[in-house]
Amino acid sequence: MGRPRRPLLDRERITTTALEIVDEQGEFSVPQIARRLGVQTASIYHHVDGRDGIVELLRERVASAIETETLDLEPWDRGMAAWARSYRAAFAAHPRTIPLLTTSPVRAPKVLDQYERAVGRLLAAGFALPDVMPVIIALENLVLGSALDLAAPEAMWELADETATPHLARALGAVPEGRADQAFELALTGYLTYVRALLGEDHEAAPVDGDRERVTARTP
Protein backbone atom coordinates (compact mmCIF):
# COMPACT_ATOMS: atom_id res chain seq x y z
CA MET A 1 0.00 0.00 0.00
CA GLY A 2 1.19 3.53 -0.77
CA ARG A 3 1.39 6.18 1.89
CA PRO A 4 -1.80 8.18 2.51
CA ARG A 5 -1.86 11.57 0.84
CA ARG A 6 -2.44 13.20 4.21
CA PRO A 7 -0.78 12.02 7.43
CA LEU A 8 -3.19 10.22 9.74
CA LEU A 9 -2.02 12.40 12.59
CA ASP A 10 -0.51 15.87 12.84
CA ARG A 11 -0.62 18.87 15.16
CA GLU A 12 -3.38 20.54 13.17
CA ARG A 13 -5.73 17.57 13.43
CA ILE A 14 -4.92 17.14 17.12
CA THR A 15 -5.71 20.81 17.76
CA THR A 16 -8.96 20.69 15.78
CA THR A 17 -10.12 17.59 17.63
CA ALA A 18 -9.15 18.99 21.04
CA LEU A 19 -11.07 22.19 20.28
CA GLU A 20 -14.14 20.21 19.24
CA ILE A 21 -14.06 18.31 22.53
CA VAL A 22 -13.59 21.48 24.60
CA ASP A 23 -16.43 23.21 22.74
CA GLU A 24 -18.64 20.26 23.63
CA GLN A 25 -17.50 19.49 27.17
CA GLY A 26 -15.37 22.38 28.48
CA GLU A 27 -12.36 20.08 28.99
CA PHE A 28 -10.37 17.43 27.17
CA SER A 29 -8.04 14.53 27.80
CA VAL A 30 -5.36 13.07 25.57
CA PRO A 31 -7.10 9.63 25.50
CA GLN A 32 -10.31 11.34 24.34
CA ILE A 33 -8.46 12.94 21.45
CA ALA A 34 -6.85 9.61 20.55
CA ARG A 35 -10.17 7.77 20.55
CA ARG A 36 -11.83 10.36 18.35
CA LEU A 37 -8.93 10.23 15.88
CA GLY A 38 -8.80 6.45 15.97
CA VAL A 39 -5.20 6.21 17.14
CA GLN A 40 -3.32 5.04 20.20
CA THR A 41 -2.82 7.58 22.98
CA ALA A 42 0.94 7.17 22.71
CA SER A 43 0.78 8.32 19.09
CA ILE A 44 -0.50 11.74 20.19
CA TYR A 45 2.61 12.29 22.28
CA HIS A 46 4.80 11.86 19.20
CA HIS A 47 3.40 15.15 17.87
CA VAL A 48 2.81 17.33 20.94
CA ASP A 49 4.49 18.16 24.22
CA GLY A 50 1.93 16.47 26.43
CA ARG A 51 -1.36 17.93 27.57
CA ASP A 52 0.19 21.34 28.24
CA GLY A 53 1.39 21.42 24.67
CA ILE A 54 -2.14 20.81 23.42
CA VAL A 55 -3.43 23.64 25.62
CA GLU A 56 -0.96 25.99 23.95
CA LEU A 57 -2.01 24.76 20.52
CA LEU A 58 -5.60 25.57 21.49
CA ARG A 59 -4.52 29.01 22.63
CA GLU A 60 -2.79 29.65 19.32
CA ARG A 61 -5.80 28.42 17.36
CA VAL A 62 -8.33 30.62 19.16
CA ALA A 63 -6.04 33.66 19.28
CA SER A 64 -5.29 33.37 15.56
CA ALA A 65 -8.73 34.90 14.93
CA ILE A 66 -7.76 38.11 16.76
CA GLU A 67 -7.01 40.91 14.31
CA THR A 68 -3.76 42.07 15.89
CA GLU A 69 -3.14 44.59 13.12
CA THR A 70 -5.94 46.72 14.61
CA LEU A 71 -3.40 47.79 17.23
CA ASP A 72 -1.77 49.91 14.54
CA LEU A 73 -4.84 52.13 14.14
CA GLU A 74 -4.45 55.77 15.12
CA PRO A 75 -4.86 57.13 17.69
CA TRP A 76 -3.76 54.47 20.16
CA ASP A 77 -7.14 54.28 21.94
CA ARG A 78 -8.90 53.55 18.65
CA GLY A 79 -6.47 50.68 18.09
CA MET A 80 -7.01 49.28 21.59
CA ALA A 81 -10.79 49.42 21.22
CA ALA A 82 -10.70 47.65 17.86
CA TRP A 83 -8.32 45.02 19.25
CA ALA A 84 -10.66 44.48 22.22
CA ARG A 85 -13.65 43.89 19.95
CA SER A 86 -11.73 41.43 17.80
CA TYR A 87 -10.33 39.68 20.89
CA ARG A 88 -13.85 39.33 22.28
CA ALA A 89 -15.21 37.91 19.02
CA ALA A 90 -12.43 35.31 18.82
CA PHE A 91 -13.11 33.95 22.29
CA ALA A 92 -16.88 34.30 22.04
CA ALA A 93 -16.66 31.71 19.25
CA HIS A 94 -15.15 29.24 21.75
CA PRO A 95 -16.25 30.40 25.22
CA ARG A 96 -15.55 27.06 26.90
CA THR A 97 -11.85 27.49 26.22
CA ILE A 98 -11.72 30.55 28.48
CA PRO A 99 -11.53 28.76 31.88
CA LEU A 100 -9.01 26.33 30.43
CA LEU A 101 -6.72 28.95 28.90
CA THR A 102 -6.92 31.55 31.67
CA THR A 103 -5.69 29.08 34.28
CA SER A 104 -2.60 28.08 32.30
CA PRO A 105 0.54 30.20 31.72
CA VAL A 106 0.88 31.66 28.23
CA ARG A 107 3.77 29.99 26.39
CA ALA A 108 2.67 29.86 22.74
CA PRO A 109 5.15 31.95 20.69
CA LYS A 110 2.52 33.33 18.32
CA VAL A 111 0.40 34.50 21.24
CA LEU A 112 3.40 36.01 23.01
CA ASP A 113 4.07 37.94 19.79
CA GLN A 114 0.61 39.49 20.07
CA TYR A 115 1.35 40.63 23.61
CA GLU A 116 4.68 42.03 22.45
CA ARG A 117 2.83 44.08 19.86
CA ALA A 118 0.29 45.36 22.39
CA VAL A 119 3.02 46.30 24.88
CA GLY A 120 4.96 48.12 22.18
CA ARG A 121 1.85 50.05 21.15
CA LEU A 122 1.20 51.24 24.69
CA LEU A 123 4.81 52.21 25.30
CA ALA A 124 4.82 54.16 22.04
CA ALA A 125 1.66 55.95 23.20
CA GLY A 126 3.54 57.12 26.29
CA PHE A 127 2.37 54.80 29.05
CA ALA A 128 4.75 54.30 31.95
CA LEU A 129 6.28 50.83 31.96
CA PRO A 130 4.69 49.78 35.32
CA ASP A 131 1.24 50.68 33.94
CA VAL A 132 1.45 48.67 30.73
CA MET A 133 0.61 45.15 31.94
CA PRO A 134 -2.20 46.28 34.30
CA VAL A 135 -3.75 48.13 31.33
CA ILE A 136 -3.57 44.99 29.17
CA ILE A 137 -4.75 42.61 31.92
CA ALA A 138 -7.69 44.86 32.79
CA LEU A 139 -8.73 44.89 29.13
CA GLU A 140 -8.49 41.09 29.00
CA ASN A 141 -10.68 40.78 32.10
CA LEU A 142 -13.29 42.94 30.41
CA VAL A 143 -13.04 41.12 27.08
CA LEU A 144 -13.11 37.55 28.40
CA GLY A 145 -15.93 38.25 30.83
CA SER A 146 -17.98 39.71 28.02
CA ALA A 147 -17.14 36.77 25.74
CA LEU A 148 -18.63 34.46 28.37
CA ASP A 149 -21.66 36.73 28.63
CA LEU A 150 -22.22 36.41 24.89
CA ALA A 151 -22.53 32.64 25.37
CA ALA A 152 -25.09 33.05 28.15
CA PRO A 153 -28.86 33.02 27.57
CA GLU A 154 -30.31 36.36 26.52
CA ALA A 155 -32.60 36.16 29.57
CA MET A 156 -30.34 35.43 32.54
CA TRP A 157 -32.89 36.26 35.23
CA GLU A 158 -36.03 34.16 35.65
CA LEU A 159 -38.61 35.74 37.93
CA ALA A 160 -41.21 33.37 39.26
CA ASP A 161 -42.99 36.21 41.05
CA GLU A 162 -42.38 39.68 39.66
CA THR A 163 -44.16 41.26 42.61
CA ALA A 164 -41.37 40.04 44.90
CA THR A 165 -38.75 41.97 42.89
CA PRO A 166 -40.67 44.78 41.20
CA HIS A 167 -37.67 47.02 40.50
CA LEU A 168 -35.75 44.17 38.91
CA ALA A 169 -38.77 43.18 36.86
CA ARG A 170 -39.15 46.70 35.48
CA ALA A 171 -35.44 46.99 34.73
CA LEU A 172 -35.40 43.67 32.90
CA GLY A 173 -38.45 44.67 30.92
CA ALA A 174 -36.63 47.79 29.74
CA VAL A 175 -33.53 45.97 28.49
CA PRO A 176 -33.37 46.15 24.69
CA GLU A 177 -32.21 43.29 22.52
CA GLY A 178 -28.44 42.73 22.51
CA ARG A 179 -27.81 43.36 26.19
CA ALA A 180 -24.37 41.71 26.08
CA ASP A 181 -23.12 44.01 23.33
CA GLN A 182 -24.46 47.09 25.08
CA ALA A 183 -22.89 46.08 28.38
CA PHE A 184 -19.56 45.46 26.68
CA GLU A 185 -19.56 48.87 24.98
CA LEU A 186 -20.42 50.54 28.29
CA ALA A 187 -17.55 48.77 30.06
CA LEU A 188 -15.14 49.46 27.21
CA THR A 189 -16.00 53.16 27.27
CA GLY A 190 -15.36 53.30 31.02
CA TYR A 191 -12.10 51.42 30.64
CA LEU A 192 -10.80 53.75 27.92
CA THR A 193 -11.81 56.80 29.93
CA TYR A 194 -9.73 55.56 32.84
CA VAL A 195 -6.64 54.63 30.85
CA ARG A 196 -6.69 57.98 29.04
CA ALA A 197 -6.64 59.63 32.45
CA LEU A 198 -3.78 57.33 33.44
CA LEU A 199 -1.86 58.59 30.45
CA GLY A 200 -2.74 62.17 31.36
CA GLU A 201 -4.58 62.88 28.13
CA ASP A 202 -7.43 65.36 27.82
CA HIS A 203 -9.13 64.83 24.50
CA GLU A 204 -12.21 63.31 22.94
CA ALA A 205 -12.03 59.62 22.17
CA ALA A 206 -11.68 58.68 18.54
CA PRO A 207 -14.44 56.47 17.10
CA VAL A 208 -13.41 52.99 16.06
CA ASP A 209 -15.68 52.93 13.04
CA GLY A 210 -18.49 54.92 11.55
CA ASP A 211 -21.20 52.66 12.96
CA ARG A 212 -20.48 53.41 16.60
CA GLU A 213 -21.32 56.53 18.53
CA ARG A 214 -18.49 58.92 19.32
CA VAL A 215 -17.40 58.61 22.92
CA THR A 216 -16.93 62.04 24.43
CA ALA A 217 -15.70 61.25 27.91
CA ARG A 218 -12.91 63.52 29.09
CA THR A 219 -10.33 63.05 31.77
CA PRO A 220 -11.00 64.87 35.03
Side-chain angles (χ1 to χ4, degrees), residues 88-89 91-93 95 144-154 179-181 184:
R88 174 179 179 247
F91 277 84
L144 296 176
S146 183
L148 285 172
D149 190 28
L150 275 174
E154 183 68 19
R179 62 160 184 81
D181 289 335
F184 172 71

Side-chain angles (χ1 to χ4, degrees), residues 81-97:
W83 185 54
R85 293 191 179 100
S86 178
Y87 197 147
R88 174 179 179 247
F91 277 84
H94 304 283
R96 289 190 168 187
T97 65

Side-chain angles (χ1 to χ4, degrees), residues 165-189:
T165 53
H167 297 309
L168 177 59
R170 288 177 59 208
L172 290 176
V175 174
E177 189 175 347
R179 62 160 184 81
D181 289 335
Q182 291 192 4
F184 172 71
E185 292 299 326
L186 175 63
L188 182 60
T189 298

Side-chain angles (χ1 to χ4, degrees), residues 74-75 77-78 81 85 204-210 212-215:
E74 294 290 350
D77 52 352
R78 183 183 183 193
R85 293 191 179 100
E204 290 188 349
V208 173
D209 57 54
R212 301 186 186 280
E213 291 186 10
R214 186 176 182 83
V215 180

Side-chain angles (χ1 to χ4, degrees), residues 65-205:
I66 302 173
E67 298 174 356
T68 314
E69 64 275 9
T70 55
L71 286 166
D72 296 331
L73 293 173
E74 294 290 350
W76 67 269
D77 52 352
R78 183 183 183 193
M80 291 296 289
W83 185 54
R85 293 191 179 100
S86 178
Y87 197 147
R88 174 179 179 247
F91 277 84
H94 304 283
R96 289 190 168 187
T97 65
I98 294 174
L100 178 67
L101 299 180
T102 55
T103 54
S104 174
V106 181
R107 300 187 181 94
K110 291 181 181 179
V111 179
L112 291 173
D113 285 345
Q114 290 198 27
Y115 282 101
E116 175 70 10
R117 193 164 179 172
V119 169
R121 187 71 178 92
L122 292 175
L123 290 174
F127 283 87
L129 186 59
D131 291 334
V132 169
M133 290 313 298
V135 165
I136 291 175
I137 293 167
L139 183 61
E140 286 190 313
N141 290 344
L142 188 164
V143 164
L144 296 176
S146 183
L148 285 172
D149 190 28
L150 275 174
E154 183 68 19
M156 278 295 295
W157 295 264
E158 295 183 358
L159 308 184
D161 180 8
E162 293 188 1
T163 61
T165 53
H167 297 309
L168 177 59
R170 288 177 59 208
L172 290 176
V175 174
E177 189 175 347
R179 62 160 184 81
D181 289 335
Q182 291 192 4
F184 172 71
E185 292 299 326
L186 175 63
L188 182 60
T189 298
Y191 164 85
L192 290 173
T193 299
Y194 177 81
V195 294
R196 287 188 202 102
L198 192 65
L199 189 57
E201 293 187 352
D202 185 14
H203 63 75
E204 290 188 349

